[in-house]
Amino acid sequence: MIKAIIFDFYGVISSDEYHDWLDRHGFERGGELKNLSKEMDMGVTSIDQFFESLSKLSNIPSTDIRQEFLAFSSLNEELLAKILELKKKYKIALLSNASSSHLRDLMIKAGIDVLFDQIIISSEVGHIKPSKKIFEYALSKLDVKPNEAVFIDDNESFCNAASELGIESVTYRGYKSLLSNFKEMGIMDN
């Protein structure tokens, strides 16, 4: 029986401002840019250091990059409304590879931090998806077994990692598709 639903943030609850920025400016997602993101997600570098490093690699002022991130960020309002409904019956968690200060600020400003029983951010716990440890940490914070949780992420490899632990996983392909997945799992009727 499902007791907890764990959501990714970027690409599910919110647009993925970093990947969107890379795409808008024609940058590849690998190499040094991927390493920058990974270091920030691990908490090795701060969000300010991340923007400065992006600036050096792109020759775009860090203040402009930061403004673009904010300007093009958008929340999935339909999904947030559904999470509010799901919260009546299930434990709800957020599990994201991100900078703690940046993500927490976004969530508090949007007033959505209260939707989650647990907020697990990679830079706070020192593990990033797809590490088995971050999923185990999330399960322990929710006090559920792997077969009692569902994990939703737009990254298929992260979903595969969760599935290997016995967590039911859904690769996010849009709101309507997620509703169909929920219905198949018996999570909701509509």
Side-chain angles (χ1 to χ4, degrees):
M1 182 169 114
I2 300 301
K3 295 181 180 177
I5 305 172
I6 306 166
F7 292 90
D8 175 39
F9 189 75
Y10 294 107
V12 179
I13 291 172
S14 171
S15 56
D16 189 330
E17 53 196 23
Y18 178 56
H19 288 150
D20 292 348
W21 183 86
L22 291 174
D23 293 344
R24 271 195 311 281
H25 291 280
F27 293 113
E28 295 294 321
R29 294 183 183 190
E32 202 168 345
L33 289 169
K34 186 174 184 175
N35 290 337
L36 283 178
S37 177
K38 187 175 181 180
E39 287 176 0
M40 182 186 60
D41 290 344
M42 285 292 292
V44 174
T45 60
S46 71
I47 189 72
D48 293 333
Q49 292 168 321
F50 172 73
F51 283 127
E52 285 300 324
S53 297
L54 269 184
S55 176
K56 286 176 187 165
L57 289 171
S58 67
N59 292 317
I60 298 170
S62 62
T63 53
D64 292 355
I65 297 170
R66 188 183 297 263
Q67 287 175 344
E68 266 191 77
F69 270 49
L70 293 173
F72 289 96
S73 179
S74 64
L75 294 173
N76 186 337
E77 297 294 343
E78 282 182 311
L79 182 54
L80 290 169
K82 188 54 68 182
I83 289 171
L84 186 59
E85 184 183 320
L86 292 167
K87 189 172 172 58
K88 295 173 187 171
K89 187 174 177 184
Y90 302 95
K91 293 178 184 180
I92 304 294
L94 180 85
L95 175 58
S96 185
N97 286 353
S99 159
S100 174
S101 62
H102 185 69
L103 181 52
R104 286 199 183 270
D105 284 350
L106 283 174
M107 293 178 70
I108 289 167
K109 284 178 185 169
I112 62 171
D113 55 317
V114 296
L115 292 176
F116 302 94
D117 299 299
Q118 294 293 328
I119 297 173
I120 298 116
I121 302 174
S122 61
S123 62
E124 293 176 353
V125 298
H127 302 291
I128 60 173
K129 295 178 288 185
S131 168
K132 175 176 136 176
K133 290 180 180 182
I134 198 164
F135 292 108
E136 291 170 340
Y137 182 80
L139 293 172
S140 72
K141 293 296 281 182
L142 289 163
D143 193 27
V144 296
K145 297 174 185 150
N147 65 345
E148 296 174 328
V150 173
F151 174 65
I152 296 118
D153 199 301
D154 61 317
N155 185 315
E156 193 169 352
S157 69
F158 296 168
C159 288
N160 291 340
S163 293
E164 287 174 15
L165 287 174
I167 301 168
E168 180 89 30
S169 297
V170 176
T171 303
Y172 187 76
R173 303 273 187 237
Y175 181 70
K176 288 183 180 177
S177 177
L178 180 61
L179 291 184
S180 295
N181 294 124
F182 280 167
K183 192 170 185 175
E184 288 170 15
M185 291 185 270
I187 288 178
M188 57 190 319
D189 300 321
N190 52 17

